[in-house]
Each structure stands twice: as structure tokens, then as C-alpha cells.
Amino acid sequence: MTPSVLDLAPVVPVVVLEDAADAVPLARALVAGGLPAIEVTLRTSAALDAIRAIAAEVPDAVVGAGTVISVRNVFDTVAAGARFLVSPGWTETLLDAMKASGVPFLPGVSTTSEVVALLERGVTEMKFFPAEAAGGTAYLKALSSPLPQARFCPTGGISLASAPSYLALPNVGCVGGSWMVPADAVATKDWARVEQLAREAAALRG
């Protein structure tokens, strides 16, 4: 059985790549630092090529697609080699497509009603987004008693400093963040810095 995305590492790097040529060295640095699950967001034209390259050349990485907002996104990213899908929110149509994709997925939620609706559909693992803006740790803690079966990957505004308070919650499996892939490090191809930041993130435990 495929392990849950929430259990691969305490932090899932959220990656925005302008140049697909950076994908493989970046992924290798993240894996070397102990973060195998990598979410490549569909925010740039390089994203699909980046997913394809990581899937083909970095076997220890578990590459996923983020910012999945359409049925086409689901098909294109899975065809490119994505091994999990992450959406900022969900609709019935998008949820059906993600369920049919054959890979794990984390639909985005920010309200209690959305969580209940997903539980009704048999989905227990979700992305909580935008985490800080939507209520942060206090909101997630409040959900844990009435909805203990829901598990989350909070993403959005989380830092190395705030991540431990999220990871300490019983309903949080991991957090998503981009602090270990700073834009300036990617721009200068400072993969050693990325690896060091990934190592610090991988050491976080709830």
C-alpha cells in the first residue's frame, strides 16, 4: 500500500520553478536533506517538465503536483509522473478526478463544512490552506475534538519557527512550506544551502 503523503516527512517543500533545468539538482538537495516528498506547484510553465524530470532522474524523491485546480491538471501531472496531488481547494468535479487518478491526493480546505463534506466522501487526509490566514494552529486544534478522523497538511505562511507548533497537533501529519527553497538560493543554484535548510526542516518533530 502506498504510504500516506502525510507520513513521508514532517515537511513537504512547496516548490515554484521558473526553469525546469533546476528541478533535478533541487530535488536531489531536498532528498539529501531528508525531505523526499516534493510538491512542485503548477504556477509556472516549467512545472510539468520539472515534475517529469524529477520523476525520471531522482528515484528517491516522491514528486507531487501542487496548485491542482482542474481535471486537466490532474491528467497532465499524473502523466508527467506526479505521485501525489495537492489542491488549494476542491469541487465535486475536481475531487472525482483526483479520486480516479490512482495517486494519493490532498484536497484543500479552510472551513469546517469543507472538512465534513470531504469526510462524507470518504476523504480523511486534506491540505489546510491558507493555514496562517485561515486560523492557524488554534483553528486546527479546535477541529481535532469534533472531527478527529481528519488529518491535515497545513500550508501557507508557515516557517521553521512556527512549524513545530503545527506538528505538535494530533491531527497534523506534516506541514507544507517553502522556506527551505528560498528564491535567491534557487536563482544562484546554491543547492548546498537548500540541502542544509532541508536537513533542519527534516529534524522537526511534533
Side-chain angles (χ1 to χ4, degrees):
M1 184 177 173
T2 304
S4 167
V5 178
L6 300 184
D7 298 326
L8 290 173
V11 181
V12 176
V14 178
V15 176
V16 180
L17 285 171
E18 301 292 342
D19 185 350
D22 292 332
V24 167
L26 177 67
R28 285 178 176 151
L30 290 170
V31 170
L35 300 180
I38 302 168
E39 175 188 336
V40 177
T41 67
L42 301 182
R43 299 179 198 173
T44 68
S45 58
L48 281 177
D49 285 339
I51 291 170
R52 201 172 285 117
I54 295 170
E57 299 181 49
V58 192
D60 292 333
V62 180
V63 64
T67 324
V68 173
I69 58 172
S70 70
V71 173
R72 181 63 183 267
N73 288 162
V74 173
F75 288 123
D76 286 350
T77 54
V78 172
R83 292 168 61 185
F84 65 93
L85 306 172
V86 183
S87 68
W90 64 278
T91 64
E92 294 290 346
T93 301
L94 181 59
L95 187 66
D96 287 342
M98 291 193 292
K99 278 191 159 192
S101 70
V103 301
F105 58 93
L106 297 173
V109 297
S110 60
T111 69
T112 308
S113 293
E114 290 171 317
V115 176
V116 172
L118 285 176
L119 292 174
E120 198 173 73
R121 294 287 304 270
V123 177
T124 59
E125 298 186 344
M126 312 164 195
K127 170 179 177 170
F128 179 59
F129 176 84
E132 287 287 285
T137 54
Y139 194 98
L140 286 171
K141 187 175 182 180
L143 289 182
S144 63
S145 292
L147 302 170
Q149 64 272 57
R151 295 181 72 217
F152 300 94
C153 173
T155 305
I158 297 175
S159 65
L160 179 66
S162 63
S165 60
Y166 281 94
L167 292 167
L169 297 174
N171 55 351
V172 170
C174 65
V175 300
S178 55
W179 74 85
M180 74 298 299
V181 283
D184 60 332
V186 177
T188 58
K189 306 188 190 307
D190 189 351
W191 309 128
R193 182 179 168 208
V194 171
E195 182 179 339
Q196 177 56 38
L197 290 169
R199 187 167 285 111
E200 291 173 3
L204 295 173
R205 286 293 181 271

